[in-house]
Amino acid sequence: MPQSPHAPLLTVSPSRPVADRGPALTSPRPTPTPAPAPTPAWATADPYSSALRSGRGPLFLRRADGWLLPLDVERWCARADRVDRDVLDRCEGVVLDVGCGPGRLVAELAARGRTVLGIDVSEAAVEHTVRLGGQALRRSVFEALPGEGRWDTVLLMDGNIGIGGDPRELLERVRQLLTPGGLLIAETAPVDIDERAHVHLTDAFEATGAPFPWARLGTPALLRHARGWARAGQWTADGRRFVALRTRSASNSAEAAKSTAVISSQRARKPSGESAVADR
């Protein structure tokens, strides 16, 4: 994909590590500044940091009822695989990887010469990403971020559509980060599920820290929550499922407003035959 025509989002001084501070930016379009988000309990949990530093599990999300969801630490800590690379081929312009983990996707895009930033609330994840040659910040997606409203692509991979436990709130936050007409690529659960729960991170021996909210969404559930987004594609590869969504561009919004006005005027004359077009 061609690079964005926007001015560069990231200008980093070599005198300080990327992990220690945010990139200096050209003046972004004014956007509301989100309130600082508290660091989730799992971000400093020993099992998570230990797994990322060792590159292997076991690591699980554990619900209160004892159910365990295994996390694929070995794949996260390896190089981007064929399925990952196919996703990255679809990215447009400058890319923000939300919940970048140990940074395999950030590193792969950086190696391609793409402008990319990873964010993660885990210090171990940010350190690992920087060691791979990527740029990363220790930051929550719900905190103020560089270049808000100017990212061309946002990634929510490896189940990160579950961040915060409220998919609609997360989608709205991603919308604020993207440029009009920008692209979100999200990896969904391999089953049809729409679940919210409080979970712990555990290595199967003990859970550390307070529980935190998480969500699991299959593709149908994500599409139900994505009101106001345009579908840009969905696909399955090696058992992993993905959805691409696009924000409404300024021209699309204007056209939608015009269409609504036309439909409203027609409804006054034809009350039995017209209905508004539902958002996809």
Side-chain angles (χ1 to χ4, degrees):
M1 296 286 181
Q3 291 289 310
S4 166
H6 300 154
L9 287 173
L10 305 175
T11 306
V12 182
S13 167
S15 61
R16 299 178 64 186
V18 179
D20 292 342
R21 66 184 187 91
L25 304 177
T26 55
S27 298
R29 157 189 341 161
T31 56
T33 301
T39 300
W42 62 267
T44 55
D46 287 342
Y48 183 70
S49 298
S50 297
L52 292 191
R53 289 186 172 117
S54 68
R56 61 182 183 274
L59 190 67
F60 306 88
L61 290 179
R62 186 176 73 185
R63 287 191 319 221
D65 62 4
W67 179 86
L68 295 175
L69 175 68
L71 302 179
D72 200 351
V73 176
E74 287 81 1
R75 180 171 62 79
W76 296 352
C77 291
R79 296 178 63 88
D81 61 21
R82 179 184 60 81
V83 177
D84 294 330
R85 293 193 298 272
D86 176 67
V87 170
L88 300 183
D89 289 343
R90 300 168 189 257
C91 291
E92 301 171 356
V94 291
V95 181
L96 179 67
D97 185 3
V98 174
C100 65
R104 74 187 192 282
L105 305 179
V106 175
E108 173 66 22
L109 283 171
R112 298 181 183 190
R114 301 290 297 274
T115 301
V116 56
L117 175 69
I119 61 168
D120 204 292
V121 294
S122 163
E123 181 178 2
V126 169
E127 290 174 350
H128 197 285
T129 301
V130 173
R131 283 199 301 273
L132 291 180
Q135 298 191 69
L137 293 174
R138 188 178 181 187
R139 201 77 58 88
S140 163
V141 67
F142 296 108
E143 294 179 289
L145 293 172
E148 297 205 9
R150 292 168 49 212
W151 295 98
D152 296 303
T153 303
V154 167
L155 295 174
L156 286 170
M157 297 281 281
D158 303 324
N160 284 332
I161 190 64
I163 288 173
D166 186 335
R168 291 190 179 182
E169 181 182 12
L170 180 58
L171 287 169
E172 179 55 34
R173 178 61 181 135
V174 170
R175 190 201 310 273
Q176 295 169 2
L177 297 172
L178 284 167
T179 188
L183 185 67
L184 165 64
I185 301 179
E187 184 171 356
T188 58
V191 294
D192 186 3
I193 190 171
D194 189 353
E195 175 187 75
R196 285 179 247 329
H198 278 74
V199 297
H200 281 91
L201 265 167
T202 178
D203 56 8
F205 297 102
E206 64 174 330
T208 304
F212 57 91
W214 196 256
R216 291 181 68 216
L217 274 72
T219 294
L222 175 55
L223 295 176
R224 286 195 300 272
H225 289 296
R227 288 188 169 274
W229 292 77
R231 298 185 197 182
Q234 61 187 79
W235 65 98
T236 300
D238 287 356
R240 296 168 63 189
R241 297 183 181 181
F242 303 91
V243 174
L245 300 169
R246 202 174 283 282
T247 61
R248 303 292 187 181
S249 67
S251 59
N252 284 343
S253 298
E255 185 62 30
K258 179 179 177 182
S259 298
T260 300
V262 170
I263 289 169
S264 297
S265 65
Q266 290 176 340
R267 186 179 292 116
R269 298 191 301 272
K270 301 181 182 180
S272 63
E274 301 292 343
S275 62
V277 178
D279 286 334
R280 290 190 294 168

